[in-house]
Amino acid sequence: MSASSVSIKNLRKQYGDLEVLRGINLEIPAGQTVAVIGPSGSGKSTLLRVLMTLDRPTSGDIEIDGVPMWLDAHGRPAGPNSAHVRQVRGKIGMVFQHFNLFPHMTALGNAMEAPMRVLGMSRAQARERAAEYLEMVGLGDKLDVYPAQLSGGQKQRVGIARALAMCPSIMLFDEVTSALDPELVGGILQILRDLSARRSMTMIIVTHQMKFAERSSDRTLFFDEGNIVEDAESSVLFSQPQEARTRQFLDCVIEGQ
Ligand SMILES: Nc1ncnc2c1ncn2[C@@H]1O[C@H](COP(=O)(O)OP(=O)(O)OP(=O)(O)O)[C@@H](O)[C@H]1O
Ligand SMILES: [Mg+2]
């Protein structure tokens, strides 16, 4: 599958009285890797959840490859379990901070499950594909190992292989390195860089680690209070932030790191 473009127009998300996304406008061309940084509670995970269709926007539009996420082919509103929304969701994969692996399945079993269940792949086909992605993330020798016997970094790599086995055209990563010891972060960074270099997926990476954001992405968004405050090429945003709020945030986190 080739990468998908993402177009977001005036996206708002409210929980009760709390407005978490306040009119986001964002165009991501197919194959780009975008990092999202910003203070806790600024709406970064909410953006990913809404993109993953786990949450419905309060208003605004999201289009994937020019196809509206929440309107069917006849332009009618589509429900969260409609064939239309399931088809859109099928293009998107997500990896979270916590690995959420099935504890009773091996690494291979974890990565085979969804392709068999969701894509209807045969066991043999799913096994071949899962093994290929586990090898890609450096776990070729751990196919038959259960999550309890894996390190945090290895579990996270199984999580990435499991998402890749579904062949998404968009991948969302929410703080995938936050639970890892610093020396394991480099391995995940390298995997994301390799994936990004292939340009076969569009990637959005939410992280609190500034070096990770800078090194993994083409472009960085600085989020604050539900808005994109700054949007620039990553090398530029980190070296010459234009907005006072971005400078203040970067000064603060870099001191704390
Ligand atoms: N399901 C929900 N119901 C009510 N409020 C929510 C819900 N999900 C998120 N929020 C609120 O929305 C705001 C933004 O949350 P979000 O998780 O998007 O922040 P974040 O930028 O990812 O923060 P962090 O960096 O700490 O992960 C927070 O104030 C949070 O409490
Ligand atoms: Mg978050």
Side-chain angles (χ1 to χ4, degrees):
M1 193 184 271
S2 56
S4 291
S5 63
V6 179
S7 171
I8 298 176
K9 295 201 178 74
N10 208 16
L11 180 70
R12 291 177 185 274
K13 178 67 192 176
Q14 234 166 301
Y15 294 109
D17 289 339
L18 182 68
E19 199 172 30
V20 178
L21 299 178
R22 302 184 180 183
I24 303 286
N25 289 293
L26 178 61
E27 300 289 329
I28 306 179
Q32 192 171 60
T33 299
V34 180
V36 182
I37 60 168
S40 183
S42 57
K44 305 179 301 294
S45 295
T46 303
L47 177 71
L48 294 197
R49 289 178 52 78
V50 167
L51 280 172
M52 190 65 206
T53 75
L54 297 172
D55 248 329
R56 198 172 177 137
T58 307
S59 64
D61 298 311
I62 301 172
E63 290 182 358
I64 305 297
D65 291 327
V67 175
M69 189 173 257
W70 294 98
L71 294 176
D72 68 17
H74 308 286
R76 289 190 293 248
N81 288 314
S82 62
H84 174 76
V85 171
R86 277 187 281 128
Q87 193 187 356
V88 174
R89 185 185 299 138
K91 293 187 167 190
I92 310 173
M94 187 160 175
V95 185
F96 299 91
Q97 173 176 0
H98 297 291
F99 326 111
N100 302 318
L101 299 178
F102 302 117
H104 59 289
M105 288 183 189
T106 62
L108 192 62
N110 266 281
M112 287 169 62
E113 181 66 11
M116 286 196 298
R117 198 178 288 233
V118 181
L119 304 180
M121 224 177 250
S122 72
R123 178 165 285 275
Q125 232 183 338
R127 177 186 294 273
E128 191 180 331
R129 168 119 47 126
E132 187 186 315
Y133 284 108
L134 286 163
E135 261 158 45
M136 202 202 95
V137 298
L139 293 178
D141 58 341
K142 301 280 183 194
L143 302 185
D144 299 320
V145 168
Y146 288 86
Q149 298 152 269
L150 294 170
S151 72
Q154 290 168 338
K155 281 188 242 187
Q156 195 54 285
R157 286 190 272 159
V158 176
I160 293 172
R162 184 171 65 170
L164 292 174
M166 293 295 282
C167 289
S169 56
I170 301 174
M171 275 277 274
L172 311 175
F173 298 90
D174 197 356
E175 295 191 29
V176 289
T177 54
S178 302
L180 301 182
D181 290 338
E183 64 268 29
L184 295 175
V185 173
I188 302 292
L189 175 65
Q190 196 51 50
I191 290 167
L192 297 199
R193 284 170 69 112
D194 290 347
L195 289 173
S196 172
R198 296 178 182 197
R199 303 280 161 201
S200 58
M201 292 186 304
T202 304
M203 299 171 36
I204 307 182
I205 301 170
V206 170
T207 179
H208 281 287
Q209 290 161 307
M210 298 303 118
K211 283 287 166 223
F212 191 84
E214 184 175 0
R215 292 180 185 157
S216 62
S217 64
D218 306 310
R219 172 183 176 190
T220 297
L221 311 177
F222 171 61
F223 248 66
D224 194 23
E225 298 184 343
N227 279 309
I228 298 172
V229 173
E230 191 157 347
D231 173 356
E233 203 178 301
S234 300
S235 56
V236 174
L237 188 133
F238 288 98
S239 61
Q240 300 160 294
Q242 296 300 301
E243 299 292 329
R245 184 68 190 95
T246 316
R247 284 199 291 273
Q248 186 193 6
F249 175 77
L250 291 177
D251 284 349
C252 246
V253 290
I254 286 162
E255 262 170 40
Q257 272 182 0

